[in-house]
């Protein structure tokens, strides 16, 4: 089996404490679980490989204190949690838009800013990055919340 975009069951959301994981990084807007009411489907979403027990969870954008307005604003740094072998690996990525085409109106590139931890006892950094790339190629830009938009998006992974 490979990665697929899915809504998270209530049991898995509790098991992996996804509300608190989201709240740890999302400093603006509604906190979980109230933020789920904003979505059409009131569940968390992730990109999951059930056979291997891996998942990728998007925690949103980090806030930047260095804004033109003087108030904290979302930065260009996005937090993804990759769960592998019972451990959460925090990836901070930036993205920037690339030229749109008729076939791919959404075209952007992810760059790796940081990774914590950088390896696991039985997995190298390179293997973890390969797993992240597999998941991101399925997640695209919106996971299950916009499958149609994902079909029209092209991502590049510059790491």
């Amino acid at each position: 089996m490979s990665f697929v975009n899915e809504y998270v069951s209530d049991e898995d959301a509790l098991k992996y404490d996804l509300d608190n994981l989201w709240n740890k990084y999302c400093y603006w807007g509604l906190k979980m679980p109230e933020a789920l009411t904003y979505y059409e489907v009131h569940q968390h979403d992730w990109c999951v490989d059930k056979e291997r027990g891996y998942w990728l969870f998007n925690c949103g954008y980090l806030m930047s204190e260095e804004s033109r307005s003087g108030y904290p604003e979302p930065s260009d740094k996005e937090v993804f949690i990759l769960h592998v072998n019972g451990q959460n690996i925090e990836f901070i990525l930036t993205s920037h838009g690339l030229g749109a085409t008729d076939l791919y109106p959404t075209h952007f590139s992810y760059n790796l800013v940081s990774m914590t931890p950088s390896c696991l006892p039985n997995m190298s950094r390179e293997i973890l990055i390969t797993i992240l790339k597999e998941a991101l190629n399925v997640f695209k830009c919106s996971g299950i919340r916009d499958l149609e938009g994902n079909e029209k998006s092209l991502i590049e992974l510059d790491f």
Side-chain angles (χ1 to χ4, degrees):
M1 185 176 214
S2 57
F3 281 100
V4 294
N5 291 314
E6 286 187 351
Y7 290 107
V8 182
S9 70
D10 292 338
E11 295 80 18
D12 282 339
L14 285 172
K15 177 180 177 180
Y16 296 110
D17 200 18
L18 297 183
D19 283 355
N20 285 325
L21 192 58
W22 168 274
N23 291 338
K24 176 180 177 181
Y25 297 101
C26 188
Y27 297 108
W28 58 282
L30 293 174
K31 297 291 185 183
M32 293 295 175
E34 294 86 298
L36 289 176
T37 61
Y38 172 77
Y39 298 111
E40 187 174 318
V41 176
H42 306 300
Q43 292 173 269
H44 288 290
D45 64 305
W46 61 11
C47 191
V48 63
D49 181 333
K50 290 183 180 177
E51 187 174 297
R52 296 187 289 180
Y54 300 166
W55 49 261
L56 181 72
F57 183 67
N58 183 345
C59 295
Y61 290 91
L62 294 175
M63 295 299 287
S64 172
E65 299 293 328
E66 300 171 14
S67 67
R68 291 181 185 164
S69 69
Y71 298 100
E73 294 178 2
S75 72
D76 65 344
K77 294 178 177 68
E78 198 168 358
V79 178
F80 287 89
I81 301 299
L82 179 66
H83 183 85
V84 175
N85 296 347
Q87 173 123 10
N88 290 347
I89 298 101
E90 172 192 278
F91 287 91
I92 298 179
L93 307 175
T94 59
S95 63
H96 64 278
L98 300 171
T101 66
D102 290 339
L103 187 57
Y104 297 109
T106 304
H107 183 196
F108 66 96
S109 171
Y110 279 122
N111 295 293
L112 180 64
V113 174
S114 68
M115 169 183 181
T116 308
S118 60
C119 65
L120 296 178
N122 57 346
M123 283 193 173
S124 68
R125 179 181 193 277
E126 291 74 24
I127 292 171
L128 292 171
I129 287 177
T130 298
I131 296 167
L132 174 68
K133 287 179 176 182
E134 285 177 44
L136 285 172
N137 276 311
V138 173
F139 178 80
K140 301 266 184 170
C141 55
S142 301
I144 197 166
R145 297 208 190 271
D146 187 7
L147 293 175
E148 187 178 316
N150 283 342
E151 288 288 321
K152 298 175 185 173
S153 58
L154 177 64
I155 66 167
E156 295 181 21
L157 306 171
D158 293 334
F159 53 91

